[in-house]
Amino acid sequence: MADSKKQKTISQTNVENKKNEAIQEEDFEGMLERAKEVLGKLNAQEITLKESLALYEQGMQSLKNAQEILEQAKLQYQELKD
């Protein structure tokens, strides 16, 4: 029974890993760096409202992707730990 549960968890993790492959093309640190760059551009007073909204969206997407990578790493750590 325990082996079946462990096997199911491993299968779920494999599916999640494949789902996140596109996100993981760029590393965690790269995504954070891109979000910092966006923040720097948002602080510039020369941009329009439309540009700032587009930059904000890009920055939030970078942070969301970084968060997903972080959560995936946490799950992998928990599996190795258990």
Side-chain angles (χ1 to χ4, degrees), residues 27-80:
D27 65 355
F28 178 78
E29 291 82 6
M31 288 182 193
L32 290 181
E33 187 60 36
R34 194 165 70 219
K36 287 179 187 177
E37 289 173 6
V38 167
L39 181 60
K41 290 177 183 178
L42 284 171
N43 286 328
Q45 296 179 2
E46 300 85 31
I47 63 173
T48 66
L49 178 60
K50 185 176 182 178
E51 290 170 328
S52 64
L53 288 173
L55 285 170
Y56 177 80
E57 186 177 339
Q58 290 173 11
M60 292 306 293
Q61 187 62 48
S62 292
L63 292 175
K64 179 182 175 190
N65 292 346
Q67 180 67 31
E68 289 176 9
I69 289 174
L70 189 59
E71 297 210 7
Q72 183 64 32
K74 183 179 176 181
L75 287 173
Q76 290 174 347
Y77 170 77
Q78 287 297 329
E79 286 179 9
L80 292 173

